[in-house]
Amino acid sequence: MDVSSQRSPVSLLALAALALVILGAALSALTWRNLVEQRRLIDQHVLFAARAILHGVEANLTRVMPMLGRMQPEEARQRLQEAFHEVTASGDVLFLGVYDSQGQLLLSSQPDASDGHGQPPLDPMALEDLAVTGEWFGSLPFAGGTTMLGYASVMRPGMAQFCPGGRGSGQGSGQGPGPGQGPGRVPGQGMSPGRQSPVYFLVGMSLDEHYQQYRQFRSQAVAQTGFVLGAAALVWLLLVAYMRRRTQGRRLVRLESFHSKLLDSIPEGIMAVDASGMVTAANPAAKNILGEDLAGRSFDSLPVAACLREPGEGCAPAGEWRQQDLDGRHLEILSRSLDGETLVILRDRTHLRSLENDLEQSRQLATVGRLAAGVAHEIRNPLSALRGFAQLFASKLKGREPEESYARTMVQEADRLGRVVTDLLYLAKPRPMEPAPVELAALCGELESLLRFDLERRSATFATALEAPEALADPDALKQALINLVLNALAALPAGGGSVTVRSRARPGGTAVSVEDNGHGMSEEERARALEPFFTTRRDGSGLGLAIVQSIVRHHGGELEIESDPGRGTRVTMFFRSAAPPGNG
């Protein structure tokens, strides 16, 4: 059975998980931002270090410039190269080099690169920055396929004279100072500035030494970011699984609640019996049908167990509905095996059987009606003639016995047969009912007056107990029904007399009017057949009185009940509804 689940608003747990995911993303972004900032700070630190090293090298070289000026150019260049190599030998500096304005290497700390082929030239962007700002900082390829951080600036003019190509345009390259040039004098001095080409001094720093901590921090940042994002993703997945499980749990709870309410509300009784024969569950209908608590009891101790255990001759086979009468009720029982348990279903079919009996009686009355409609008129006309001749014979034979008694008996029997024909015609085609409020006290007064001689003949007393003053019924039909019931009650009284009582009381939806006596009562078989047409235990009865009463009650949309026990009298109750059903008027 499908049961829809209502959507619930986002819970605090979902908001917390979403906040955790956002926090994780924010922490990751902040970590990477800090990483970029640390890279910038490292680059700035390396820049400061490279600038300091370059200025220091230049300062040291400046102090030895007078000595270099007294040397031959090749020897001075050799000494500069050795000085560059000593600086790089310490390990803090990878490379020292001098470049011309075209970016070609003039002098370096590596002997194999002094020819300009071992170290790549400066790229155009570096030359552009040097031309504009006088310095440049960036990465450069180094020998062995590695990369170094380089810082370059314009070389002091006094030192450029010792580097080939470091003089102004039109001057020889690689030549020593000319006559009259002292140390620190810029070659080409006195020439126009536009004719002098700049020389660039570059310091190369190791990336590994300065970026080792950065790489560690970056690895930690990657691990931390992965952990945070993984934890957030895991929490989110767990939340999704939890929400789905909670939704399924709610759906299961609603489904169980629905099934429980459904089982509690259905009119059929349902019991679950385990393999040991104990009743593990039972709905309220089963308790109402059997009239006792069932859960925890042994199923074999219940009265319905015998029907399933020993069905007897004529009972339905296993797996089909079986019939059982219990305490005046008619039950239907069905058992089914289900997952190691036995499901027992009970149905109270008492009311249905009563309706079936009423239907059968209606069919019998319809048969009687069709019979009466066919023969009543054929009987009434000859009967009238016979009654007339009997009255004539009675008058002619007056004073002659036993002829006069025979004639009077013929008249009486003709009258009785006429009443039977009248009753048959009523059963065949009852007149339409016209319900109206009937004052029961006034109606009972008329009954007592009409039946006074019958009451005196039976030495019976007539009493009323009217709790409900009115009943909604057709006045004439109700009067006829009460006359029939009172006459039947008088016929059931013992020879020494008895009492007949008319009672009324309010019931939900209408009024109950009953006639009871303290006569000999009826057996179970007689009570079961009391409403059959022509069934009577009286020698002078027609067996149509109660059938007519039932027809009257049925055409009012009411119900007829008979309660009787041998030796304790009989009570016949007619129930008239407070609102007349449509179609009965």
Side-chain angles (χ1 to χ4, degrees), residues 167 181 194 220 250 446 464 549 557:
R167 293 182 177 179
Q181 288 181 328
Q220 294 177 358
R250 289 178 177 175
E446 294 180 16
T464 58
V549 172

Side-chain angles (χ1 to χ4, degrees), residues 95 97-101 103-106 119-122 198-200 202:
F95 179 78
V98 180
Y99 292 83
D100 63 9
S101 60
Q104 298 298 324
L105 181 64
L106 302 177
Q119 181 66 25
L122 293 176
V199 178
Y200 305 124
L202 182 138

Side-chain angles (χ1 to χ4, degrees), residues 221-245:
V222 170
Q224 179 181 356
T225 302
F227 175 77
V228 171
L229 293 179
L234 179 61
V235 170
W236 181 260
L237 292 177
L238 291 177
L239 172 68
V240 171
Y242 170 74
M243 295 296 291
R244 183 178 301 173
R245 183 179 182 87

Side-chain angles (χ1 to χ4, degrees), residues 383-407:
L383 185 61
S384 298
L386 291 175
R387 185 178 184 282
F389 285 119
Q391 287 179 331
L392 176 62
F393 291 154
S395 61
K396 294 293 185 179
L397 299 174
K398 188 175 182 179
R400 297 175 55 182
E401 291 294 340
E403 290 83 355
E404 182 180 2
S405 298
Y406 294 158

Side-chain angles (χ1 to χ4, degrees), residues 341-403:
E341 292 186 340
T342 302
L343 190 66
V344 180
I345 304 176
L346 306 175
R347 294 195 303 196
D348 189 348
R349 315 300 284 178
T350 304
H351 181 66
L352 181 60
R353 171 171 282 192
S354 176
L355 294 178
E356 292 173 350
N357 294 336
D358 291 344
L359 178 61
E360 182 63 26
Q361 292 171 1
S362 298
R363 291 173 179 172
Q364 294 177 359
L365 291 178
T367 302
V368 172
R370 288 193 296 271
L371 174 64
V375 303
H377 293 289
E378 299 297 331
I379 295 177
R380 178 169 286 184
N381 292 333
L383 185 61
S384 298
L386 291 175
R387 185 178 184 282
F389 285 119
Q391 287 179 331
L392 176 62
F393 291 154
S395 61
K396 294 293 185 179
L397 299 174
K398 188 175 182 179
R400 297 175 55 182
E401 291 294 340
E403 290 83 355

Side-chain angles (χ1 to χ4, degrees), residues 81 108 110-119 143:
Q81 190 171 1
S108 71
Q110 295 181 336
D112 57 348
S114 58
D115 56 358
H117 299 287
Q119 181 66 25

